[in-house]
């Protein structure tokens, strides 16, 4: 399948702001529900109801056969964890909630980590480092820089804490489609890859592991886990390239960045 790279007129950014805002509001909304004893299936149904009642459509439902409104990935699950009513969150878990919402045909894709009760110091260090990894990647986003600059910055930050970046999944172009070009790898060589120009819209969504970067896909065909079962974390923003840098479309209206959110 060939993917297109669309350069959007900057006037289209208003639509991306709207979709991105609802996506971020959805992640804000779910925050107080993330507690020991709740199932990931319950969180998913709350997320779906919130998106639909605010004029959004969950993009993941029906996407290549996926049936849920979110991906919820605890502990050693890297990404694409499938919410279900039997997966009960426990004190000390760290989880990623990833949602993509369509508003008037435009996509907003974002994910954050959440703490269930009180995770270990090491788990919290992973989560904070993963947030920093995303942000140093985003800071590379300006015309003239390349996708390799983004990946290099992210890999370097994660490696400085002796963590690894996942190589099997990456950020992606987005806009009026869910997944397009350019690919935003979580590693790279400065100055290589696609040159960034105003009007490009893509996600930055590094996954960082405490142990090996290697991933396995479970027999459900979706759930990606770390090969060594070490903890994994991820954050994701949807951004657009502007004449002098970037605009983040999925910032939390509450100003929340990484947990604990208060
Ligand atoms: N939201 C994910 C991303 O960041 C994609 C999830 S696709 C699904 O690209 F089908 F697994 F939900
Ligand atoms: Co994405
Ligand atoms: Co996502």
């Amino acid at each position: 399948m060939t993917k297109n790279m669309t350069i959007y007129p900057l006037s289209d950014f208003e639509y991306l702001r709207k979709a991105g805002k609802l996506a971020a509001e959805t992640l804000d909304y779910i925050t107080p529900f993330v507690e020991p004893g709740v199932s990931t299936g319950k969180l998913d149904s709350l997320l779906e109801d919130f998106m639909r009642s605010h004029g959004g459509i969950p993009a993941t439902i029906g996407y290549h056969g996926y049936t849920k409104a979110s991906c919820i990935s605890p502990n050693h699950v890297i990404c694409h964890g499938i919410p279900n009513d039997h997966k009960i969150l426990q004190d000390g878990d760290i989880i990623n909630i990833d949602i993509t919402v369509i508003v008037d045909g435009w996509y907003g894709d974002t994910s954050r980590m959440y703490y269930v009760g009180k995770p270990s110091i090491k788990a919290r260090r992973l989560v904070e480092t993963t947030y920093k990894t995303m942000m140093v990647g985003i800071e590379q986003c300006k015309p003239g820089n390349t996708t390799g600059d983004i990946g290099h910055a992210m890999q370097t930050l994660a490696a400085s804490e002796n963590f690894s970046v996942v190589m099997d999944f990456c950020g992606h172009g987005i806009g009026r489609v869910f997944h397009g070009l350019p690919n935003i790898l979580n590693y790279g060589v400065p100055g290589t890859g696609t040159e960034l120009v105003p009007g490009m819209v893509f996600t930055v969504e590094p996954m960082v592991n405490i142990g090996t970067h290697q991933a396995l896909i479970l027999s459900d065909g979706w759930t990606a886990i770390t090969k060594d079962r070490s903890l994994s974390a991820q954050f994701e923003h949807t951004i657009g390239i502007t004449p002098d840098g970037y605009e983040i479309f999925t910032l939390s209206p509450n100003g929340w960045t990484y947990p604990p959110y208060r």
Side-chain angles (χ1 to χ4, degrees):
M1 193 178 75
T2 329
K3 291 208 246 175
N4 294 312
M5 174 145 50
T6 305
I7 310 297
Y8 293 93
L10 297 180
S11 54
D12 279 350
F13 280 17
E14 69 172 283
Y15 307 113
L16 289 152
R17 269 176 216 125
K18 203 172 161 200
K21 183 168 178 230
L22 179 55
E25 284 169 346
T26 305
L27 291 186
D28 281 7
Y29 156 77
I30 204 66
T31 304
F33 297 99
V34 179
E35 292 244 278
V38 75
S39 71
T40 57
K42 173 69 181 174
L43 295 175
D44 184 73
S45 77
L46 289 168
L47 291 160
E48 177 169 2
D49 290 348
F50 186 90
M51 286 186 262
R52 292 195 191 281
S53 65
H54 291 76
I57 298 167
T60 52
I61 295 180
Y63 181 77
H64 294 277
Y66 196 80
T67 61
K68 299 293 179 179
S70 63
C71 297
I72 304 185
S73 304
N75 301 328
H76 65 284
V77 180
I78 296 172
C79 64
H80 302 166
I82 305 173
N84 75 83
D85 294 342
H86 307 289
K87 176 61 192 177
I88 308 294
L89 298 179
Q90 312 286 335
D91 183 28
D93 287 347
I94 58 169
I95 70 166
N96 176 275
I97 301 180
D98 187 349
I99 54 127
T100 307
V101 69
I102 311 169
V103 179
D104 300 333
W106 294 83
Y107 287 71
D109 185 5
T110 185
S111 83
R112 293 181 205 153
M113 298 301 296
Y114 297 80
Y115 294 160
V116 182
K118 195 164 190 262
S120 69
I121 289 171
K122 188 154 197 194
R124 285 182 274 150
R125 186 164 69 86
L126 173 68
V127 169
E128 290 172 21
T129 301
T130 305
Y131 181 77
K132 283 187 206 163
T133 299
M134 175 181 69
M135 292 311 296
V136 296
I138 291 174
E139 281 156 21
Q140 289 297 315
C141 292
K142 60 178 178 198
N145 274 8
T146 69
T147 55
D149 293 324
I150 302 170
H152 178 75
M154 294 202 291
Q155 184 177 33
T156 302
L157 191 294
S160 77
E161 292 281 346
N162 285 315
F163 296 146
S164 62
V165 291
V166 172
M167 304 176 115
D168 291 356
F169 298 93
C170 61
H172 49 91
I174 189 167
R176 268 179 303 205
V177 297
F178 193 171
H179 291 110
L181 292 176
N183 288 326
I184 308 296
L185 304 182
N186 301 320
Y187 58 94
V189 175
T192 66
T194 304
E195 185 176 333
L196 307 182
V197 301
M200 272 184 190
V201 179
F202 53 80
T203 70
V204 178
E205 50 176 304
M207 298 152 203
V208 178
N209 301 347
I210 285 183
T212 181
H213 74 275
Q214 289 176 288
L216 295 176
I217 309 286
L218 298 187
S219 58
D220 60 25
W222 286 103
T223 311
I225 67 168
T226 54
K227 192 174 175 193
D228 60 4
R229 302 326 191 246
S230 69
L231 291 179
S232 183
Q234 180 179 29
F235 285 86
E236 175 176 24
H237 273 313
T238 297
I239 75 160
I241 302 297
T242 63
D244 38 50
Y246 61 85
E247 177 173 345
I248 302 178
F249 299 125
T250 47
L251 285 176
S252 159
N254 283 333
W256 289 340
T257 52
Y258 59 86
Y261 303 114
R262 47 170 76 108

